[in-house]
């Protein structure tokens, strides 16, 4: 604590980017759009009445849970020590007063709240004037983080710099005497990789399946499919980002998803909003190099993923079928990239297999909710009591995929492609075992949020995958 600490001098604390690692306007807009995406058309008209009016319009339509926000814990710990020493604390924010009071009720930390009221946007000079009117110029200290706070620091006795850039920190030292600084949270390489969900790009390897299944191996076709994989990866990342932005509150209530870059406020929301259209544009540009037929299926994939993010994920059962369709669309697009017609057998096997994996994902989430004493999965249409039924549906779908594979091995289409079809039968017990293994691990609560990630890291799954591939290769060359 500063040696010149004076309990008679109030400490005014900014909210956005200071007390919390995010911005309430950005957060509330995401909740608004998650409730109804068409609200995006209203925002420009609300803004015409001013930023304070925009914030009030949004605040009157959304409910924000203050418990889930990413708070600056080191700052809060210091503020509590200051309050214990007798210092008066004031929450001074440009966020709407409804959100500000809700946060203060949750924290129980501030003696007073100064916030935007629908008419005045309490930022910059407006905030400085309001605090001067209440306490007098130079008779309050102020904690902030951004360029608009420089005006307030100019009116304050002392300043506390929180999560500010080097430029703002230097300017604050010129505007006032800085009492204390709290370091900013800076994203690292791991955060950017998680934002893009790079590990999910492995799913796009499914685009190679039609080419391999038809035994059409050439450098030209490989290059075509590789471009398709890049296009799908960029498109998928754009949708993953938008999904994370619209699912912030749900992710923050999940023990692992809360660590995602946007949920943990490691990366600002505005970055995600800017990256989404850029990634999508890059995806379309690469997709045009593959061909118009492929681009059509890329568009279908984007439309379905967007529909899933905006609402289908909330519909019980529909979400599982949608996820299965998204996996299968990758195979269809891969066939379009090499101008090959995808077979009925491959489509049927894919649909049943991926439907089983989709239900694995949901069952794992429901099992986790049960452990945490919840009765319903947040943001989903499932209740915890649905878990046994979801498990049954998933197992049935998985074994249906095995049946389709067995029937295919007895078909004329298979005999035309494989010289030694008897070796192919090794693939049937391999798939059957893996489906059983995945569901056993899920039932034990040992499943990752994404079964694909689980399969990549699990040694047993890798061994089974090796047996499956060896069966296919022997069927061709033996």
């Amino acid at each position: 604590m500063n040696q010149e600490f004076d309990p008679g001098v109030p400490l005014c604390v900014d909210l956005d980017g200071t007390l919390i690692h995010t911005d309430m306007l950005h957060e509330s807009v995401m909740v608004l759009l998650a409730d109804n995406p068409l609200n995006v058309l209203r925002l420009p008209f609300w803004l015409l009445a001013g930023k304070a009016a925009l914030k009030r319009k949004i605040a009157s339509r959304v409910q924000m849970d203050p418990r889930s926000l990413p708070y600056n814990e080191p700052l809060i710990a210091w503020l509590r020590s200051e309050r214990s020493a007798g210092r008066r604390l004031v929450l001074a924010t440009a966020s709407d007063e409804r959100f500000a009071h809700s946060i203060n009720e949750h924290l129980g930390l501030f003696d007073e709240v100064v916030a935007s009221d629908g008419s005045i946007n309490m930022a910059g000079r407006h905030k400085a004037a309001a605090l001067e009117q209440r306490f007098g110029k130079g008779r309050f200290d102020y904690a902030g983080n951004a360029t608009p706070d420089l005006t307030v620091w100019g009116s304050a006795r002392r300043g506390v710099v929180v999560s500010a850039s080097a430029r703002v920190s230097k300017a604050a030292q010129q505007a006032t005497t800085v009492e204390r600084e709290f370091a900013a949270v800076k994203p690292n390489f791991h955060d950017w990789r998680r934002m893009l969900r790079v590990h999910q790009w492995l799913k796009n390897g499914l685009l190679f399946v039609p080419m391999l299944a038809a035994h059409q191996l050439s450098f030209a076709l490989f290059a075509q499919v590789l471009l398709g994989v890049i296009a799908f990866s960029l498109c998928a990342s754009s949708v993953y980002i938008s999904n994370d932005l619209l699912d912030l509150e749900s992710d923050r209530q999940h023990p692992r998803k809360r660590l995602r870059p946007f949920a943990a406020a490691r990366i600002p929301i505005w970055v995600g909003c800017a990256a989404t259209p850029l990634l999508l544009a890059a995806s379309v540009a690469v997709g045009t190099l593959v061909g118009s037929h492929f681009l059509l299926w890329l568009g279908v994939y984007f439309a379905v993923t967007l529909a899933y993010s905006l609402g289908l994920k909330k519909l019980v059962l529909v979400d599982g079928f949608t996820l299965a369709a998204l996996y299968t669309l990758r195979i269809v697009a891969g066939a379009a990239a090499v101008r090959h017609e995808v077979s009925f057998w491959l489509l049927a096997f894919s649909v049943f297999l991926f439907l089983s994996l989709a239900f694995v994902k949901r069952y794992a989430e429901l099992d986790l909710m049960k452990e945490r004493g919840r009765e319903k999965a947040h943001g989903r249409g499932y209740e915890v009591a649905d878990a046994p039924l979801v498990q049954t549906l998933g197992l049935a779908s998985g074994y249906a995929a095995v049946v389709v594979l067995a029937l295919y091995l007895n078909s004329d289409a298979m005999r035309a492609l494989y010289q030694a079809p008897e070796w192919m039968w090794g693939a049937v017990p391999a798939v059957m075992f893996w489906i059983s293994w995945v569901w056993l691990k899920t039932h034990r609560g040992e499943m990752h949020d994404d079964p694909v990630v689980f399969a990549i890291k699990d040694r047993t799954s890798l061994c089974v995958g090796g047996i499956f591939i060896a069966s296919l290769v022997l069927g061709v060359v033996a």
Side-chain angles (χ1 to χ4, degrees):
M1 190 179 299
N2 192 283
Q3 292 181 350
E4 297 184 28
F5 165 72
D6 183 352
V9 177
L11 173 59
C12 304
V13 183
D14 183 37
L15 174 63
D16 302 316
T18 302
L19 188 69
I20 58 177
H21 291 300
T22 185
D23 187 292
M24 285 304 297
L25 177 58
H26 300 165
E27 292 273 338
S28 57
V29 167
M30 290 300 106
V31 175
L32 184 74
L33 297 182
D35 290 340
N36 184 0
L38 294 179
N39 281 324
V40 70
L41 302 176
R42 298 179 177 179
L43 294 176
F45 296 100
W46 293 345
L47 186 57
L48 291 176
K51 203 168 183 179
L54 169 69
K55 294 174 181 179
R56 174 52 55 89
K57 288 282 188 181
I58 297 173
S60 65
R61 286 168 170 78
V62 303
Q63 293 291 330
M64 300 292 297
D65 185 359
R67 297 171 299 177
S68 66
L69 293 172
Y71 292 97
N72 189 329
E73 296 299 341
L75 174 64
I76 289 178
W78 180 70
L79 291 175
R80 292 196 187 282
S81 67
E82 294 289 283
R83 181 182 174 89
S84 298
R87 201 171 198 182
R88 180 178 178 82
L89 301 181
V90 179
L91 181 60
T93 173
S95 292
D96 190 82
E97 58 186 6
R98 298 187 181 187
F99 293 148
H101 283 293
S102 175
I103 290 171
N104 188 35
E105 289 176 7
H106 167 64
L107 294 176
L109 185 60
F110 298 95
D111 302 290
E112 187 179 350
V113 172
V114 178
S116 298
D117 59 3
S119 299
I120 299 176
N121 186 45
M122 200 60 67
R125 60 185 180 86
H126 292 297
K127 184 185 291 187
L131 296 180
E132 282 187 23
Q133 183 178 4
R134 276 174 170 76
F135 309 114
K137 186 176 177 64
R139 297 183 64 100
F140 64 91
D141 294 343
Y142 180 72
N145 72 295
T147 300
D149 296 319
L150 293 173
T151 303
V152 189
W153 276 318
S155 298
R157 184 191 70 133
R158 293 181 180 275
V160 178
V161 178
V162 183
S163 302
S165 65
R167 181 184 61 82
V168 171
S169 178
K170 183 177 180 180
Q173 292 172 6
Q174 296 174 349
T176 187
T177 300
V178 175
E179 177 180 352
R180 185 162 181 166
E181 286 197 46
F182 290 84
V185 175
K186 296 181 179 179
N188 53 36
F189 175 78
H190 180 66
D191 294 320
W192 294 112
R193 182 177 61 80
R194 293 194 69 184
M195 182 190 80
L196 295 172
R197 304 263 196 103
V198 173
H199 65 280
Q200 298 283 7
W201 292 358
L202 292 172
K203 297 177 182 178
N204 299 320
L206 290 170
L207 273 77
F208 285 103
V209 170
M211 181 185 73
L212 298 175
H215 300 174
Q216 296 181 347
L217 305 179
S218 70
F219 177 79
L221 292 179
F222 179 85
Q224 281 288 98
V225 178
L226 183 59
L227 286 174
V229 169
I230 295 173
F232 258 73
S233 298
L234 294 171
C235 180
S237 288
S238 72
V239 179
Y240 286 138
I241 290 173
S242 59
N243 182 68
D244 285 351
L245 292 176
L246 296 173
D247 223 12
L248 287 172
E249 284 196 310
S250 295
D251 285 352
R252 286 172 182 155
Q253 296 185 33
H254 193 281
R256 288 184 290 270
K257 293 181 181 180
R258 64 183 178 82
L259 300 177
R260 288 176 173 174
F262 296 114
R266 298 279 307 176
I267 296 177
I269 290 174
W270 70 265
V271 172
C273 293
T276 298
L278 293 176
L279 288 167
L280 183 60
S283 171
V284 173
V286 176
T288 56
L289 300 176
V290 183
S292 58
H293 195 195
F294 170 84
L295 198 60
L296 172 64
W297 286 112
L298 179 65
V300 172
Y301 172 81
F302 174 75
V304 175
T305 50
L306 189 62
Y308 175 81
S309 297
L310 295 178
L312 295 183
K313 65 183 178 183
K314 300 177 182 179
L315 303 179
V316 65
L317 296 181
V318 174
D319 66 328
F321 285 92
T322 304
L323 288 174
L326 289 173
Y327 279 106
T328 307
L329 276 172
R330 291 175 167 92
I331 294 177
V332 175
V338 296
R339 296 170 178 79
H340 177 73
E341 184 177 348
V342 63
S343 72
F344 160 79
W345 296 107
L346 182 56
L347 281 178
F349 176 76
S350 301
V351 168
F352 284 119
L353 177 64
F354 296 133
L355 183 59
S356 181
L357 297 182
F359 284 132
V360 162
K361 185 179 178 71
R362 287 294 168 261
Y363 181 87
E365 291 178 353
L366 292 174
D367 189 54
L368 185 61
M369 293 300 104
K370 181 179 179 180
E371 290 182 4
R372 304 185 72 188
R374 304 281 181 85
E375 295 183 357
K376 190 173 182 179
H378 189 274
R380 299 290 186 265
Y382 296 90
E383 298 178 359
V384 171
D386 296 330
L389 177 60
V390 172
Q391 184 182 44
T392 301
L393 293 173
L395 281 167
S397 300
Y399 287 130
V402 176
V403 172
V404 170
L405 178 60
L407 292 173
Y408 168 68
L409 295 181
N410 197 42
S411 68
D412 294 334
M414 189 276 296
R415 295 191 186 93
L417 288 173
Y418 295 91
Q419 296 182 13
E422 62 275 7
W423 286 102
M424 290 286 294
W425 281 100
V428 175
V431 174
M432 185 180 298
F433 176 85
W434 187 69
I435 292 294
S436 305
W437 175 253
V438 166
W439 275 103
L440 177 65
K441 300 295 281 187
T442 306
H443 181 71
R444 290 178 175 177
E446 300 173 7
M447 175 54 59
H448 188 276
D449 296 329
D450 192 324
V452 174
V453 175
F454 166 81
I456 295 169
K457 298 181 177 181
D458 178 55
R459 291 183 179 180
T460 300
S461 297
L462 293 175
C463 290
V464 173
I467 294 173
F468 180 84
I469 294 173
S471 299
L472 299 183
V473 172
L474 287 172
V476 175
V477 302

